[in-house]
Amino acid sequence: MSDHHTYKKVELVGSSTTSIEEAINNALAEAGKSLDNMEWFEVTETRGHIQDNQVAHFQVTLKVGFRIANS
């Protein structure tokens, strides 16, 4: 076992018709299908799509940190 950790960050955009929280969870769930060792995220942008004067989609940009294997 190493005495340090090394991380990589990727940027994701999640969306939801329901909420910002669900947009975050959707992005993390999809990323988790191909990324191992995800450990943290930060929200960098929040925006939405408007249709008929109402929110149609919430969109959230995330930076997700995952630990490099064996580090």
Side-chain angles (χ1 to χ4, degrees):
M1 178 148 201
S2 175
D3 63 350
H4 71 279
H5 297 295
T6 302
Y7 297 89
K8 180 165 179 69
K9 289 194 296 187
V10 295
E11 188 171 76
L12 307 171
V13 178
S15 67
S16 167
T17 57
T18 306
S19 69
I20 291 169
E21 183 177 351
E22 186 174 278
I24 293 168
N25 286 325
N26 289 344
L28 295 175
E30 286 299 315
K33 293 177 182 178
S34 60
L35 293 176
D36 293 326
N37 305 320
M38 290 191 305
E39 293 196 3
W40 53 267
F41 74 92
E42 62 181 291
V43 174
T44 58
E45 295 180 344
T46 306
R47 64 185 166 277
H49 173 238
I50 301 168
Q51 186 173 4
D52 297 324
N53 300 321
Q54 294 184 338
V55 176
H57 283 90
F58 295 91
Q59 299 169 333
V60 179
T61 303
L62 309 169
K63 288 187 180 179
V64 176
F66 61 96
R67 185 174 34 80
I68 302 297
N70 300 319
S71 76

